[in-house]
Each structure stands twice: as structure tokens, then as C-alpha cells.
Amino acid sequence: MRPGTVLVVVDLQNDFCAGQVVAGRYGGDPATLRTVAANAARAVDTARAHGTEVVFVRFLGDVEYQPPSWRRRDAARDKPPKCLEGTWGAEFHAVSPAPGEHVFTKKACFDAFLGAGFEQHLARRGAEHLVFAGLYADVCVDSTARTAFQKGYHITVLADCTTGLHLRDEEILRFMRVLYGARTTTHDRPETWVRSGETEETWSAQSPRTAVSTEASA
């Protein structure tokens, strides 16, 4: 694997993509989630074909992992836990880590940098540029991208490989472009995101103002 760019697949799990849990909390068109999952799987294949590292992040929401604030919020909203360890809901959806690919677990938190080993792995790999796919754009993708930006990583979001839970796609993608200088593109344009050895100079030459700005669609 070449250092530099890492594709980060966030929470592409059954309880976020399909089934009764999603039906009870996602207000958008279910076809959007199917499209996002399919596109994210294609992005994984593309990254592998180009020798770009893929890492997977998964969420576990078991009550014993939840901090008091999380439990209080869920109790107030009568919100059952999701992605319980060892259940179908916690399993990956439409993607499967290949042998040797790393999986990082978040225990009742949004930000992958709060999960054990994620930040250390990126440092060991010499990562400079993180490409995000997965769910949800305005929750765990944004939380992880925010920390990544503050830690000095360049950010790209594959707009057709994510969607918002609470906010419209164009709102959260614009927010990330403005606040984090993120580039947005689509999975089928690998020349805009499959890179190695990003530097300040090469990033500036591909500024967010000239990058593709595309929202996910069904």
C-alpha cells in the first residue's frame, strides 16, 4: 500500500442502512441509502484497485458502552440502542473488509478518533489525506472529518457515498467545504481522490473552489 491517502468507510452497517431500525429513524427515501451503500462499495473496489488503503470504522451502541449523557438522551427520546455487538444490525452492509484491512470500533461515540487505534494507525501509515464514505454525513462522517481537519489532515468527501440523517445533503457538504476546506467529488472520479503523497502544494493546486461539488442522489 502507498502512504498518503486513506479511504475511511464510516458505519456502513445494517442498522444504519436497512431493516426496522432505519425505517423508524431515517426520514428520507430508502432508495438513497441503497444507492449510498452501493456507491461506497464501488469506492472500496476502486481504492483497492489503485493500491489505496481502505479502513473501516464501525459503531457499537450497547448500553454498557454509553456514557451517562448518551443514556439520558436515549431515555428522554425513548430511543433504543442500535448496532448491538454480535447482532445482525452491527454487521457491515454491502461491504466486507478484505484480509489485512483494518477495522476500528467506536463504542457509543461519533468520532472515529475516539475509537481505539484509529489515530495511531493513520500516523503509522503516514496518512495525509482522508477520503470519507459512509453514514451519516451530518453525524459520524462530519464528527470524524472535523477532528481530522484539526489534526492536519486534508479532507475529501465522496458525496454520492454518504447522506445526511438530520440535515440536507447540500447543507452539510457545503458546511464541510467551508469549515474544513473539504473537497467533494464522486466515487466514479478516482482521479480526484485516489492519490498518494499529498503535499500542501498539490492540495492548493486542487482547491475546494475548483473541485467537483456534487450531492448524493438516489
Side-chain angles (χ1 to χ4, degrees):
M1 292 292 181
R2 301 189 301 265
T5 294
V6 176
L7 174 63
V8 182
V9 182
V10 179
D11 296 358
L12 207 65
Q13 296 164 264
N14 287 324
D15 272 355
F16 295 128
C17 297
Q20 291 304 309
V21 172
V22 172
R25 67 193 298 262
Y26 178 68
D29 185 349
T32 298
L33 294 178
R34 292 193 293 270
T35 298
V36 162
N39 287 341
R42 295 184 186 107
V44 168
D45 289 341
T46 297
R48 290 168 176 163
H50 285 78
T52 296
E53 182 174 8
V54 183
V55 302
F56 295 83
V57 177
R58 65 172 188 150
F59 173 86
L60 295 178
D62 301 65
V63 173
E64 57 264 37
Y65 300 148
Q66 298 176 6
S69 56
W70 196 291
R71 292 195 298 269
R72 183 173 64 86
R73 181 204 64 175
D74 283 4
R77 297 171 60 185
D78 193 24
K79 186 177 181 181
K82 54 194 170 295
C83 295
L84 300 179
E85 190 164 14
T87 67
W88 174 86
E91 294 175 3
F92 286 112
H93 182 88
V95 294
S96 181
E101 291 180 337
H102 293 267
V103 177
F104 300 96
T105 300
K106 301 174 297 161
K107 293 184 176 181
C109 63
F110 301 135
D111 186 346
F113 283 91
L114 297 177
F118 180 75
E119 182 173 5
Q120 294 79 3
H121 178 77
L122 295 179
R124 286 194 301 270
R125 292 295 302 150
E128 299 173 348
H129 171 214
L130 303 186
V131 181
F132 288 95
L135 298 169
Y136 283 99
D138 53 346
V139 188
C140 295
V141 172
D142 177 70
S143 294
T144 304
R146 179 174 302 210
T147 300
F149 169 74
Q150 294 175 100
K151 289 182 176 292
Y153 293 97
H154 299 300
I155 305 300
T156 294
V157 181
L158 300 183
D160 61 342
C161 297
T162 190
T163 191
L165 179 62
H166 304 289
L167 301 175
R168 295 176 60 188
D169 294 352
E170 58 267 26
E171 291 180 67
I172 186 60
L173 292 172
R174 178 182 178 277
F175 178 84
M176 287 191 276
R177 286 194 294 268
V178 171
L179 196 62
Y180 316 142
R183 293 186 296 201
T184 51
T185 186
T186 52
H187 80 280
D188 55 352
R189 299 194 63 203
E191 71 279 4
T192 65
W193 62 271
V194 177
R195 294 183 176 85
S196 63
E198 283 282 3
T199 66
E200 197 70 32
E201 290 74 22
T202 58
W203 188 266
S204 298
Q206 297 287 337
S207 70
R209 289 189 297 274
T210 59
V212 177
S213 299
T214 320
E215 279 65 56
S217 60

